[in-house]
Amino acid sequence: MKTKTICMYFEIHQSVHLKRYRFFDIGTDHYYFDDYANDSSINYIAENSYIPALKTFIQMARDYKGYFKLALSLSGVGLEQLEQYSPAVIDLLKELNETGCCEFLAEPYSHGLSSLADNWSEGFREDVQMLSDKIFELFGQRPKVFRNSSLLYDDEIGAMVADMGFKGILTEGAKHILGWKSPHYLYHCCMNPDLKILLRDYKLSDDLSLRFANPSWKSYPLMSDTYADWIAELPEEEKVINIFMHLCAFGIYQPLSSNILEFMKALPAEARKRGITFSTPSEVVENNESIAPLEVPYPMSWTDEERDVSTWLGNVMQREAFNKLYSIGDRVRLCTDRRIRQDWNYLQATNNFRFMTTKNVEGGIDRGIYESAYDAFTNYMNILADFINRVHWAMPADMDLEELNAFQTTIRNQDKEIQALEKTIARMKAAQKVKKQKTEKKTAEK
C-alpha cells in the first residue's frame, strides 16, 4: 500500500441487565433479567447514539461512494436486544450494509470470556460460529476478520482464531507489548503467520472516544483538518492507522452537542485532501504485508490502563465466578434446551464480571443496581447456583460427559427417525388421497 489508510472500527454491544436475585429465589425463580432496564437502556442508547451515528455513516457512504469505509462488530446478545427492543437500529444496519462501505466482523456471540477458559476451544469456536451465522443471516456477509470481546488477545487465542479460518484479528496496540514498535504496521500471530494482526492506535482512538468534548484537553476543540494533519504527519513508512472504539462514543461518551458527528462528516474530505484513504480490515489484510510476528504470551485487552484481563479476573471473587460458570460449559454445550442456552450466553457477558472488580479505576465504575463488587458477586452467584441446578436437571450430574453425549446422540437419532417416519406417513396419506380421488372420478364418470 503506497498511501496512508484509516481503518475505522466500531463495536455495538448491549449488556443484558440482571435483576436483583436473592438466595431464597434459588430453585423457585428461573428468570434472571430486568426487562425494564434492558428496554429503557437500549432505547436510550439507540435514540441518542446508534441511530444518529448510523444515519451519519449512511450519508457519508453515499456522499463518498467507494471512498469512505468502516467496520462494525455486533455481539449476539446485543443483536438480540436490538431485535427485541429497537428494531430500527437493525433496519439502519441493513441500509448501511447495502451501501457496500461496511464490513461486519466476527466475535463471540456472548461477548464473554470464552477464549480464556481452560480446555474450552470447542466452546469458544461454537460461540464465534453462532455469531458468524447470525451476521450471515442478517447481512449476507460471512466474516473474514475477528475481534474478540474487549479486543482480548494472546498467542494461543491467535492460534485458535487462525485455525477457525479467519485471516485477520483486531487487538490493542498496548505499550507493554509493542515497546518501541509502532501500531501503524500489520503484524502476524507468532504461532500462525496466516493470521494478520491489526493494532489499535489508542491515542488517536481515545482522542475521539474519550477526550473530544473535554474543554480542559489541550487539543480542544478538535477539528477534522487538525486530526487529518496528525495522521498525515506520521512517518512516511507508517501506512495503517487503526481507529477502534465503541459506537456509543458518539452520543453517550461524547454528547452529540459536541458536534462529534459533524467532525466525522468532514473527516473524509480532509483525509482525501492529504492523500489518505479509508480501508476495511479485510482490505488492510489483503493489501499489506506483515512486517514481523507479534509475541503476546499473556492476554491483553483495550480495557483500563493496564490493558490486561484484571478488569474481569483480577480478584478472587471474579475468578471463582468465572471458574464456576465454565465448570458446566461442556454440559451446556450438550444441552438442547433453548432457554438454558440463551441464559448461558447472557451469563457469560463480560459486564457481569466487570461489576465485581475491586480495582481503583479513574472515574469509578457504574455498577448499575449493585452497591459494591461484593454485592455484584453475591447476586451473580445466586443466579449461577439456580442456573447450575437447571443444567444438572437437564444433564444429570451423575452421568459423565461420554454418557451424556451418547444419550444426546440417541435422542437426536430418534428425532431423525420420527421425522423420517412422519414424512413417510405424509407421503402415504397423500398417495392414498390421490388414489381415492381417482376412484371417485371414475365412479362419477360411469
Side-chain angles (χ1 to χ4, degrees):
M1 183 175 289
K2 296 180 180 179
T3 60
K4 285 182 168 57
T5 194
I6 298 171
C7 180
M8 301 199 86
Y9 150 75
F10 302 98
E11 175 194 352
I12 296 179
H13 166 64
Q14 183 64 30
S15 301
V16 178
H17 296 274
L18 301 179
K19 69 181 183 183
R20 180 64 69 178
Y21 195 90
R22 309 292 182 182
F23 173 79
F24 298 103
D25 294 324
I26 299 172
T28 61
D29 182 1
H30 303 315
Y31 193 76
Y32 313 132
F33 311 108
D34 187 335
D35 291 335
Y36 175 77
N38 288 324
D39 187 352
S40 57
S41 65
I42 198 163
N43 274 295
Y44 176 80
I45 293 173
E47 292 297 326
N48 292 279
S49 174
Y50 293 164
I51 290 175
L54 290 172
K55 285 181 176 179
T56 298
F57 291 158
I58 291 167
Q59 189 59 53
M60 290 168 68
R62 290 171 178 162
D63 290 345
Y64 300 95
K65 189 170 179 61
Y67 175 71
F68 174 70
K69 299 170 185 176
L70 75 157
L72 291 173
S73 74
L74 307 96
S75 69
V77 297
L79 276 170
E80 288 185 17
Q81 297 288 292
L82 290 170
E83 287 176 320
Q84 183 173 358
Y85 299 116
S86 188
V89 176
I90 301 292
D91 292 338
L92 286 172
L93 287 168
K94 290 179 178 178
E95 190 175 346
L96 180 63
N97 181 48
E98 289 170 0
T99 67
C101 81
C102 181
E103 176 180 6
F104 289 94
L105 309 184
E107 68 167 80
Y109 191 96
S110 64
H111 197 268
L113 304 172
S114 55
S115 61
L116 301 178
D118 291 336
N119 303 315
W120 188 242
S121 60
E122 284 305 311
F124 174 59
R125 182 186 294 269
E126 288 185 10
D127 205 3
V128 175
Q129 188 60 50
M130 255 183 91
L131 194 280
S132 294
D133 292 343
K134 184 74 171 177
I135 293 298
F136 184 74
E137 173 192 328
L138 286 173
F139 309 112
Q141 290 191 31
R142 185 63 71 178
K144 300 175 184 176
V145 175
F146 179 78
R147 63 85 57 187
N148 205 357
S149 308
S150 300
L151 297 192
L152 281 165
Y153 180 82
D154 65 14
D155 297 333
E156 292 186 0
I157 291 173
M160 284 193 293
V161 170
D163 188 56
M164 292 161 64
F166 291 103
K167 301 302 180 185
I169 188 169
L170 277 56
T171 190
E172 177 72 354
K175 200 81 172 172
H176 69 277
I177 295 296
L178 281 177
W180 57 268
K181 300 188 190 99
S182 168
H184 304 142
Y185 296 97
L186 195 65
Y187 295 85
H188 65 262
C189 173
C190 68
M191 294 177 68
N192 191 326
D194 291 337
L195 184 77
K196 303 303 187 290
I197 303 172
L198 291 80
L199 297 175
R200 174 178 180 260
D201 182 318
Y202 62 83
K203 180 192 177 299
L204 288 172
S205 300
D206 291 350
D207 285 343
L208 298 186
S209 64
L210 300 182
R211 292 183 278 271
F212 187 85
N214 183 359
S216 63
W217 179 37
K218 65 179 182 180
S219 298
Y220 177 87
L222 179 62
M223 300 298 175
S224 57
D225 57 347
T226 302
Y227 194 76
D229 281 340
W230 290 349
I231 295 172
E233 290 165 3
L234 290 169
E236 184 180 351
E237 64 275 12
E238 298 185 10
K239 303 297 187 184
V240 180
I241 295 84
N242 299 311
I243 300 170
F244 305 159
M245 68 192 79
H246 299 278
L247 185 60
C248 58
F250 303 127
I252 303 300
Y253 302 163
Q254 307 303 317
L256 297 181
S257 59
S258 68
N259 293 320
I260 191 167
L261 290 181
E262 283 66 29
F263 169 93
M264 282 297 296
K265 289 177 187 176
L267 184 59
E270 296 298 334
R272 181 177 264 169
K273 288 178 187 176
R274 293 156 180 79
I276 301 168
T277 64
F278 286 82
S279 298
T280 64
S282 285
E283 289 174 338
V284 171
V285 169
E286 291 167 4
N287 297 332
N288 293 270
E289 294 293 328
S290 168
I291 64 162
L294 190 70
E295 295 187 8
V296 188
Y298 304 104
M300 66 174 175
S301 74
W302 69 354
T303 303
D304 293 346
E305 189 175 339
E306 296 83 357
R307 305 289 202 270
D308 58 14
V309 299
S310 59
T311 296
W312 312 284
L313 300 175
N315 63 44
V316 174
M317 294 183 298
Q318 292 170 310
R319 292 191 293 273
E320 168 68 15
F322 176 83
N323 292 332
K324 197 79 170 175
L325 176 68
Y326 283 101
S327 70
I328 56 165
D330 286 324
R331 277 181 150 70
V332 175
R333 282 183 59 218
L334 294 173
C335 185
T336 56
D337 187 307
R338 292 180 64 185
R339 275 289 306 280
I340 286 178
R341 295 300 293 263
Q342 185 178 56
D343 291 352
W344 167 252
N345 287 328
Y346 293 171
L347 292 176
Q348 287 186 81
T350 57
N351 60 289
N352 295 315
F353 298 91
R354 183 168 174 78
F355 290 148
M356 303 177 202
T357 187
T358 49
K359 288 175 63 176
N360 185 18
V361 179
E362 185 180 355
I365 292 177
D366 179 5
R367 300 186 197 272
I369 64 171
Y370 306 120
E371 297 176 2
S372 67
Y374 309 98
D375 186 25
F377 172 73
T378 301
N379 200 70
Y380 185 81
M381 293 304 282
N382 285 341
I383 290 173
L384 191 54
D386 184 79
F387 180 71
I388 289 173
N389 286 341
R390 289 167 57 206
V391 172
H392 284 161
W393 183 86
M395 311 296 280
D398 57 356
M399 293 179 67
D400 62 31
L401 291 175
E402 287 188 10
E403 288 180 294
L404 285 171
N405 198 20
F407 180 64
Q408 289 296 99
T409 301
T410 300
I411 291 175
R412 283 194 291 271
N413 289 339
Q414 287 177 343
D415 287 341
K416 289 178 182 177
E417 288 178 15
I418 290 171
Q419 290 172 9
L421 288 170
E422 287 176 344
K423 288 179 181 178
T424 301
I425 292 170
R427 284 196 300 269
M428 291 175 66
K429 285 182 176 179
Q432 190 175 23
K433 185 177 181 180
V434 170
K435 185 178 179 180
K436 184 179 179 182
Q437 288 174 344
K438 287 181 178 178
T439 302
E440 291 175 347
K441 186 177 180 181
K442 286 180 182 179
T443 303
E445 289 175 350
K446 290 179 181 178

